[in-house]
Structures are given as structure tokens and as C-alpha cells.
Amino acid sequence: MALDQSFVGRTYPPTTPYEVGREKIREFAEAVGDANPAYVDQEAAKALGHPDVIAPPTFVFAITFKAAGQVVEDPQLGLDYSRVVHGDQKFAYTRPVRAGDRLSVTSTIEAIKSLAGNDILDIRGEVHDESGEHVVTAWTKLVSRAPEEA
Amino acid sequence: MTAKIAYDEVEVGTELPAQSFPVTRATLVRYAGASGDFNPIHWNEKFAREVGLPDVIAHGMFTMAEAIRVVTDWAGDPAAVVEYGVRFTKPVIVPNDETGARVEVSAKVAAKLDDHQVRVDLTATSDGQKVLGMSRAVVKLA
């Protein structure tokens, strides 16, 4: 069943701030096997001009995807999440995410398309820090695959 | 923000050092914990097969995280990456053995942009299949 086009442009309330911890960044960097010292060593990060350790480029997805849950689980939208796959992902950074950030995400439905029975949902997440400054925008394309013919 | 590569020293076609990344089931369990994505298709073979997959597959976001390391290792400062986008074209299938799978990543400078920025196009394959499409980063160089 095609999703309701009237949801295009809908913006959800900003999420409760997520506090970025040094150890969480370290855990993520270790999980992706990335030994860049800017992720774990404050002095190394400072040598690059950062006030504290920074997060790898894709770290923020954990925060924006959780925020996108507001959209995905909106009962009025009615997306069949059990059939959803991740189609595209893009980030545009004003600055890197760093330890100590308190990040809030505002999610907007940018587009809804139906192609060969697949529902395609584009969600934009605008990430701001506690002072209201923009940190990164994340675009997530989710594809809810058409059910197989019975 | 101090990339170690100078804008004036790269030209269109400059190749970044390619890298090959191992992915085992243990890698995926660790990534699930670190990222909070506990979808069982990334660790439970029985579940993966029930939903029509050939085996456990890597998180697309894990592959995306590996691929950009070719750029961040080259640039020196990960903050040099100002834009990064990919399309997930094929899953990385991770067998339940010691070696698992590998993701091979290469990249080259595709365009020189204004403001000391370049566009880098990435290619990521696993088991001969292209796993990321339209994989591009905009990188601010020194």
C-alpha cells in the first residue's frame, strides 16, 4: 500500500539531546578498526585544531537513525518496518561531532515515492548542538520492499 | 582542521592508497554494540535466511564507515571530510568462519572544487561485487 503523500514536508519535534562521550567515540572507532588518534587522544585532536576528540564521519548515524524512529514508527504513516532496507545515506558536516557535544536532531520527511510496489522514504535529520549551531545534516533513504506475490 | 594533503598537490585522477578491510562475525557483533544497530540480519544466520538473505550480512553503515577510512587516512584530519554519501547496492555477505569477508576500497580525486575542496569518488567491492554505489566524499584540503 502506497504511503500517504501528505506526509511530505512533515517535521517532527527535536529530540532530547544526546551527549557524546569520549568512551563511546573510542568504542565506535575500535569497532570499525580505525586507529586515527584524533578519535581517542585529546592532544592529537588538539594538534589538528579541535577542542576535544572528534568522532568518525559516520558516528552520528546512530543518533540520527534513532531520531528517524519518530518517522518510521509514526502509526499514522504506516510504514512496514519489517520490510525496510537502507537505500542511501549522506552526511554534510558544518563541523565534526566531538566529545562533550549535546546533540539534538530534527527529522523531516523530504520525499515519499512508490516504485514497483516499493515505498521509498527520504528523511532528513538536522543535527544541532546545545548552543543551536548546526553540526551535520544526515539524509537517509529507506526502502520498504513490496511484499512477494502470494 | 588541518588536512595533511595540499590542494595544489592533487590533480583530477590522483589515486588515494587503496585498502582492504576484513569483516568477520565478531566484527559485526562489536559494531552492533558500538552503533546500537542490533538488527538480527547482522548476526543471526537463521533469521537472515528466513528473510531471504543468503547468510548474515554486514551493516551497510559498517561498510560506509570502512570505506571513508581510505579518505580520512589520506587527509590526516577526519574533519577534512565535509560531505560523504553512498548508495547501498549489494550486501557484504559474511560467512561464519575465521576469515569472514573482505571489503576492498579504492578512491580517486574526481574533481577539484572551489575553496580548496576536492570530490573523491570511492569504489567498494566484496567478493567481486560492487557493494557501494554513487560513493562520494567532498574533502577540504590544506
Side-chain angles (χ1 to χ4, degrees):
Chain A
M1 191 177 67
L3 296 175
D4 184 350
Q5 281 288 331
S6 72
F7 278 75
V8 176
R10 180 172 295 209
T11 295
Y12 291 75
T15 55
T16 305
Y18 174 102
E19 186 166 325
V20 180
R22 285 192 198 122
E23 294 303 336
K24 189 66 193 177
I25 292 176
R26 177 195 296 275
E27 181 190 8
F28 187 90
E30 284 176 356
V32 298
D34 195 332
N36 195 311
Y39 304 140
V40 293
D41 177 351
Q42 266 183 288
E43 294 311 314
K46 281 179 183 166
L48 294 170
H50 305 297
D52 205 325
V53 294
I54 62 171
T58 63
F59 175 88
V60 77
F61 181 76
I63 305 167
T64 58
F65 189 63
K66 199 170 173 214
Q70 286 176 295
V71 182
V72 168
E73 290 156 17
D74 184 339
Q76 290 181 296
L77 179 65
L79 186 73
D80 181 359
Y81 189 65
S82 70
R83 309 201 60 81
V84 164
V85 294
H86 197 176
D88 289 31
Q89 182 62 38
K90 186 181 171 186
F91 302 101
Y93 310 89
T94 297
R95 66 161 175 85
V97 169
R98 55 195 180 225
D101 274 338
R102 288 172 55 83
L103 302 176
S104 183
V105 187
T106 306
S107 299
T108 298
I109 298 179
E110 277 205 330
I112 294 173
K113 288 185 194 117
S114 187
L115 267 178
N118 300 313
D119 283 323
I120 302 167
L121 184 65
D122 286 305
I123 302 168
R124 186 180 78 242
E126 299 283 359
V127 181
H128 292 88
D129 67 15
E130 212 168 18
S131 70
E133 279 183 43
H134 180 262
V135 176
V136 54
T137 300
W139 289 268
T140 302
K141 187 187 290 289
L142 298 177
V143 181
S144 182
R145 293 167 298 144
E148 289 94 10
E149 297 295 325
Chain B
M1 326 284 157
T2 37
K4 287 171 184 163
I5 303 288
Y7 178 79
D8 293 335
E9 284 165 20
V10 303
E11 27 193 270
V12 171
T14 297
E15 292 194 13
L16 282 56
Q19 293 191 53
S20 171
F21 303 102
V23 197
T24 65
R25 294 288 178 86
T27 318
L28 297 183
V29 169
R30 193 174 301 124
Y31 182 79
S35 69
D37 182 347
F38 295 103
N39 189 330
I41 60 174
H42 304 307
W43 51 267
N44 184 330
E45 195 167 314
K46 178 169 173 282
F47 184 91
R49 291 190 195 280
E50 275 170 10
V51 297
L53 295 165
D55 204 337
V56 160
I57 63 167
H59 304 71
M61 289 308 300
F62 175 82
T63 307
M64 188 176 183
E66 296 298 288
I68 199 65
R69 287 173 55 195
V70 167
V71 179
T72 54
D73 283 357
W74 175 69
D77 185 354
V81 176
V82 295
E83 270 185 42
Y84 178 34
V86 305
R87 175 164 298 166
F88 302 106
T89 49
K90 284 265 197 273
V92 173
I93 298 157
V94 183
N96 186 21
D97 58 28
E98 304 267 303
T99 48
R102 289 199 88 81
V103 177
E104 315 279 348
V105 181
S106 61
K108 66 178 177 192
V109 175
K112 293 190 82 170
L113 312 172
D114 294 340
D115 196 24
H116 279 228
Q117 298 188 133
V118 297
R119 195 187 94 211
V120 173
D121 287 1
L122 296 129
T123 304
T125 60
S126 185
D127 200 20
Q129 297 263 26
K130 192 170 166 184
V131 293
L132 297 179
M134 298 288 289
S135 182
R136 294 173 169 182
V138 174
V139 188
K140 185 160 175 117
L141 299 178

